[in-house]
Amino acid sequence: MVHQVLVDVTERIIERSAAERGAYLERMAQARSAGPARAHLSCSGQAHAYAGAGPDQEKLAIGSAGHLGIVTSYNDMLSAHQPFERYPELIRQAARAADGTAQVAGGVPAMCDGVTQGAAGMELSLFSRDVIAMAAGVALSHNTFDAAVFLGVCDKIVPGLVIAAQVFGHLPAVFLPAGPMTSGLANDEKAKVRQQFAAGECGRPELMAAEMAAYHGPGTCTFYGTANTNQMLMEFMGLHLPGSSFVTPNTPLRDALTEEGARRALSLSALGNHYTPVCEVLDEKAFVNGIVGLMATGGSTNLLIHLIAMARAGGIVLDWEDFSEVSAVVPLVARVYPNGLADVNHFHAAGGLGYSIATLLDEGLLHPDTQTVAGQGLAHYTQEPKIKDGALVWEDGAGHSLNDKILRPASDPFQPTGGLSRLTGSLGTAVMKVSAVAPEHRQVEAPVRVFHDQDEVKAAFKAGELTGDVIVVVRFQGPKANGMPELHSLTPILSILQGKGQKVALVTDGRMSGASGKVPAAIHVCPEALDGGPIAYLRDGDLVRVDAVNGDLEILTDGVLDRAPAQADLSGNHYGVGRELFATFRAAVGSADAGASVFGG
């Protein structure tokens, strides 16, 4: 039996989405009824499309085998995407072996929030998600493919690709990950050196050595931030092959999963007997399962924005209340850094996503009957892939946790509720990642210090101004103001203040990294300051309550909203490192609680 709260939330989403979802499914049915797309191209159009296909040219011109489009986020500046360099040839060979063909349909940009953290480029980060969706749309617009595989891992890349996959939702699609890099310097040791540097206790050479020891090879960063949360979601929502998310790059098992992903995508096309388009996989139940996975594993707060945008691309309307209600009944079953000391490789070894899904299914905390690329039913994702006698097979996963300090059964969890909280009150609506916040730090009532720039916060810290209990407010950081950058570079200094015994919290209409969490941070505040939200009325010394236990975000000082709102000169945020190209995005973007998208909502 599925938990009644999940049933109620799902039914509410279905009812709320009925008109938009119905119109979307009708469009997908019309697209499918047109048949294999390239049959409708002119001979000249087909010749253009096949001219670079080498040995596959003749098969494409006269054959009827399935044709697979590869949409890739490959670049070799980013460790997470560097392994994709080898994927197109693996996919082409696998397609040929299945009597099909494959071509790289196009590439999408992939930026790294780790590289741009604390820098001006971070102001393009959130907008890059919608650029990725558009670029993937361009790649598939040639209308020559029977199915697609999407190669992406990190923060905005997977959500952008999912948005595009839904726009082309009449096509089957399999998402192929690159996997995490092998474990390097422990994440808690890296964080300790960052704090020492922020406090002036070590120099840049020591900081650089620690960072290079942590980020040392190809693959995803090993902490449980947005990138690895994306990978979790793709399994909970049925777009990855089971057990494929956290297999390290450039290994026989990783290559075998990539090849099988290509074969699987072709097998699901309308040319065969198992047609499974994306629009049938990503339904309301799949998104609720994704929310459950987010809560149960303590995933990144960024997905509170991305899941809403992803869902709306398929006519499904989510809101933060859905997340809050699910969080109240879903226990936290995993502790992966920053919610614990383990990295994702340790998590995978302890039983990983297969065990997480199994224990949640056992407790009725997932919809078991969803359609997936592995077949009908989420039980497929309790299995794990192995190579036996040279062949890829799936076997039953761990029936129990292999390390209960990392992974626990849903019947005996780390905490009885999920890793994210929704806060509401006179200051607006916000969210907080609480899975890494110690219980004694989840309620803070203190005077505020107000800043319009994260560099101002750092300067105040260096000047010794942040004394006593304090709630640091960083406003004019919303999507309309400057693209809603992450403010993760504030984490070390706020952690130092908290470590001194001060009560500390952050309130912002910006974002925090998926790696953040030990300092209570009420983020994504809506309405944002540029829209005249209550956060724009605060002044230094006003009392505010941030309470993740009761879900409160309250202004305690009388008369605050009777003032004129603060104004900010944002002209400096509109130029440099490409920001001038995104004026249209800043003008058109929606609010964070509607997905912060330029596509409406």
Side-chain angles (χ1 to χ4, degrees):
M1 295 290 291
V2 177
H3 194 291
Q4 189 60 46
V5 168
L6 299 189
V7 173
D8 293 344
V9 169
T10 306
E11 290 178 351
R12 188 173 67 227
I13 293 169
I14 291 171
E15 181 178 357
R16 183 193 306 140
S17 309
E20 291 185 41
R21 181 67 174 170
Y24 168 79
L25 291 175
E26 184 176 343
R27 293 196 302 273
M28 295 305 103
Q30 290 173 351
R32 180 196 177 184
S33 67
R38 64 189 177 283
H40 303 290
L41 293 176
S42 68
C43 291
S44 175
Q46 291 190 61
H48 274 84
Y50 310 152
D56 296 321
Q57 249 185 308
E58 185 175 357
K59 187 181 290 186
L60 283 165
I62 64 174
S64 60
H67 189 36
L68 187 59
I70 305 167
V71 180
T72 178
S73 60
Y74 163 71
N75 66 60
D76 64 5
M77 190 200 75
L78 305 185
S79 64
H81 295 85
Q82 187 277 336
F84 290 143
E85 183 174 17
R86 300 174 54 245
Y87 277 36
E89 190 54 33
L90 290 172
I91 292 166
R92 280 191 285 265
Q93 294 291 353
R96 288 166 186 155
D99 201 31
T101 52
Q103 287 178 295
V104 174
V108 303
M111 66 180 292
C112 178
D113 291 0
V115 176
T116 57
Q117 198 66 244
M122 176 55 74
E123 295 177 18
L124 306 186
S125 172
L126 182 57
F127 291 148
S128 77
R129 179 196 66 198
D130 293 0
V131 172
I132 289 160
M134 294 162 71
V138 170
L140 295 175
S141 67
H142 298 94
N143 214 19
T144 64
F145 302 107
D146 301 295
V149 288
F150 291 90
L151 316 184
V153 176
C154 287
D155 296 20
K156 314 308 168 301
I157 294 90
V158 167
L161 293 175
V162 170
I163 290 170
Q166 295 226 86
V167 172
F168 289 83
H170 64 290
L171 293 178
V174 175
F175 277 59
L176 301 178
M181 68 177 68
T182 55
S183 300
L185 180 71
N187 285 296
D188 59 326
E189 290 298 319
K190 173 193 68 183
K192 194 178 299 180
V193 176
R194 286 179 177 176
Q195 288 187 32
Q196 290 169 346
F197 179 76
E201 297 170 2
C202 74
R204 189 165 292 277
E206 291 81 6
L207 176 65
M208 189 66 186
E211 298 289 357
M212 293 294 286
Y215 305 114
H216 62 89
T220 318
C221 307
T222 60
F223 58 81
Y224 197 49
T226 309
N228 287 318
T229 303
N230 286 337
Q231 306 313 297
M232 174 276 298
L233 285 171
M234 293 300 93
E235 293 210 27
F236 271 76
M237 296 173 70
L239 287 175
H240 272 181
L241 295 179
S244 65
S245 293
F246 300 133
V247 175
T248 51
N250 303 318
T251 59
L253 182 55
R254 176 83 278 154
D255 287 355
L257 286 163
T258 299
E259 293 162 351
E260 176 59 23
R263 289 189 290 268
R264 186 69 56 89
L266 284 171
S267 74
L268 300 176
S269 83
L271 299 175
N273 298 320
H274 305 288
Y275 177 56
T276 308
V278 167
C279 64
E280 291 183 5
V281 174
L282 293 183
D283 64 4
E284 295 88 347
K285 289 182 177 180
F287 276 97
V288 170
N289 283 350
I291 296 172
V292 170
L294 183 66
M295 301 305 170
T297 61
S300 167
T301 53
N302 282 323
L303 271 301
L304 286 129
I305 295 175
H306 297 323
L307 273 167
I308 290 172
M310 290 155 61
R312 290 197 176 202
I316 296 171
V317 182
L318 305 179
D319 64 35
W320 284 348
E321 184 62 27
D322 302 325
F323 291 78
S324 182
E325 290 189 21
V326 171
S327 183
V329 298
V330 171
L332 184 71
V333 302
R335 282 213 179 277
V336 188
Y337 188 85
N339 310 330
L341 297 180
D343 68 21
V344 294
N345 294 314
H346 304 138
F347 168 73
H348 187 63
L353 295 176
Y355 178 73
S356 302
I357 290 170
T359 188
L360 292 165
L361 283 170
D362 287 345
E363 296 298 316
L365 292 171
L366 286 166
H367 289 291
D369 55 344
T370 52
Q371 181 62 260
T372 78
V373 299
Q376 180 69 34
L378 199 59
H380 287 287
Y381 289 79
T382 66
Q383 297 184 313
E384 59 185 24
K386 296 180 180 178
I387 295 179
K388 289 199 168 181
D389 299 324
L392 178 66
V393 298
W394 271 266
E395 297 182 344
D396 290 340
H400 60 280
S401 170
L402 302 179
N403 188 332
D404 63 8
K405 293 181 174 61
I406 301 171
L407 191 55
R408 300 183 67 169
S411 59
D412 183 27
F414 292 105
Q415 65 183 47
T417 58
L420 297 165
S421 289
R422 174 176 177 262
L423 312 180
T424 59
S426 55
L427 192 46
T429 302
V431 293
M432 181 186 292
K433 182 173 180 175
V434 295
S435 51
V437 178
E440 63 269 22
H441 296 313
R442 294 180 184 178
Q443 295 171 298
V444 179
E445 190 173 303
V448 303
R449 278 293 308 273
V450 182
F451 303 92
H452 291 178
D453 185 284
Q454 56 186 314
D455 289 334
E456 294 176 357
V457 183
K458 297 172 187 177
F461 171 78
K462 289 180 180 178
E465 297 175 7
L466 301 179
T467 58
D469 296 344
V470 62
I471 293 176
V472 174
V473 175
V474 188
R475 64 190 177 196
F476 295 101
Q477 304 296 309
K480 291 185 179 180
N482 63 351
M484 206 179 186
E486 288 183 352
L487 306 176
H488 179 51
S489 65
L490 298 180
T491 300
I493 63 175
L494 297 177
S495 298
I496 290 170
L497 299 178
Q498 185 174 267
K500 291 179 177 179
Q502 297 172 233
K503 287 188 175 181
V504 181
L506 175 70
V507 174
T508 181
D509 49 8
R511 296 182 294 128
M512 287 292 277
S513 166
S516 306
K518 294 185 179 180
V519 175
I523 61 177
H524 307 175
V525 172
C526 292
E528 65 174 283
L530 192 63
D531 268 348
I535 192 173
Y537 293 78
L538 292 173
R539 295 178 184 170
D540 287 351
D542 290 339
L543 286 177
V544 164
R545 179 189 301 128
V546 177
D547 184 348
V549 177
N550 297 301
D552 296 332
L553 185 63
E554 297 286 355
I555 301 170
L556 303 180
T557 299
D558 292 334
V560 168
L561 299 182
D562 296 328
R563 304 168 182 161
Q567 304 295 317
D569 180 5
L570 299 173
S571 59
N573 300 102
H574 295 169
Y575 300 94
V577 295
R579 287 178 290 180
E580 47 268 80
L581 301 174
F582 285 81
T584 302
F585 279 58
R586 289 188 293 271
V589 69
S591 61
D593 57 357
S597 174
V598 299
F599 300 137

